[in-house]
Amino acid sequence: MDNQQEITDSTQIKESPVHFFGSILCDTSATSLPHDFPFQFPQVQQDAIFNLCQPPSQEDIKEVVFSINKDNVAGLDRLSSAFFQACWDTIVEDVFAAVTNFFRGTPMPRSFTATSIILIPKNDSPQSWSEFKPISLCYVTNKILSKLVYTKISHALPHLIPIPAHGLGLIADIFSPKK
């Protein structure tokens, strides 16, 4: 579809957007540090590892739930963050149990982690894949877990990455909590 050729074969129709958006969104080039990399990476302290693996408190979870924009599109289950926020007193124990299980290593059901990519046309009659905007729909539980993991990692990263490391300082900035 990108080179303006009409696709009629069902297999090609299925594979064409996957190939197009996959080539844009997935960087398959491997990078490695040079052998003469001048910095020693710090050793991770045991207490830092322990803190990364500890389940967050109910207050931490509530803070994350209420930080998710109520106007975000609902996930595939049609439950939005507005639902979680409005029903918090009723669902707090269930959400806390699910988050605790996740941090203890319990595999999450697919319903928690599934994400669907939806293609939104950028104009009234798109003729190529570049005329679509991909958006992802994921469950609020997935957003909650992602934000909690992000918070834990963002606190640990500055201790793990030597800031003046040729361009790697940007990584610490990317993961620094925004005000």
Side-chain angles (χ1 to χ4, degrees):
M1 186 167 167
D2 291 316
N3 56 9
Q4 303 299 326
Q5 293 178 351
E6 185 175 330
I7 300 172
T8 56
D9 178 66
S10 61
T11 302
Q12 288 180 329
I13 291 171
K14 179 181 171 184
E15 292 173 357
S16 180
V18 172
H19 181 265
F20 176 78
F21 289 104
S23 67
I24 293 173
L25 300 174
C26 300
D27 181 9
T28 57
S29 62
T31 58
S32 61
L33 295 174
H35 294 292
D36 61 345
F37 190 69
F39 297 97
Q40 291 291 330
F41 286 97
Q43 294 296 315
V44 180
Q45 307 249 340
Q46 283 299 105
D47 59 332
I49 294 171
F50 180 78
N51 288 335
L52 282 172
C53 298
Q54 287 304 300
S57 68
Q58 278 190 6
E59 191 56 39
D60 292 337
I61 298 168
K62 180 179 181 179
E63 186 177 317
V64 164
V65 168
F66 282 83
S67 75
I68 301 172
N69 187 340
K70 287 182 184 181
D71 296 328
N72 282 359
V73 176
L76 299 171
D77 57 2
R78 301 186 189 218
L79 298 177
S80 68
S81 57
F83 166 81
F84 277 70
Q85 293 168 14
C87 299
W88 182 249
D89 291 337
T90 304
I91 64 172
V92 61
E93 293 299 327
D94 291 326
V95 173
F96 181 70
V99 169
T100 300
N101 286 337
F102 170 79
F103 277 91
R104 289 192 176 136
T106 303
M108 291 288 105
R110 182 152 173 81
S111 62
F112 273 43
T113 60
T115 298
S116 290
I117 304 296
I118 308 298
L119 300 176
I120 307 295
K122 295 179 182 178
N123 59 49
D124 291 336
S125 59
Q127 299 297 309
S128 70
W129 293 123
S130 62
E131 296 179 62
F132 287 89
K133 177 183 178 179
I135 64 167
S136 63
L137 297 179
C138 65
Y139 295 95
V140 175
T141 49
N142 193 357
K143 291 178 185 180
I144 294 167
L145 294 172
S146 297
K147 282 188 161 225
L148 288 166
V149 169
Y150 163 82
T151 300
K152 286 180 169 286
I153 290 173
S154 68
H155 288 100
L157 265 177
H159 304 288
L160 299 175
I161 298 175
I163 298 303
H166 300 290
L168 290 180
L170 177 61
I171 295 171
D173 182 55
I174 290 170
F175 285 101
S176 295
K178 305 295 184 243
K179 300 221 186 288

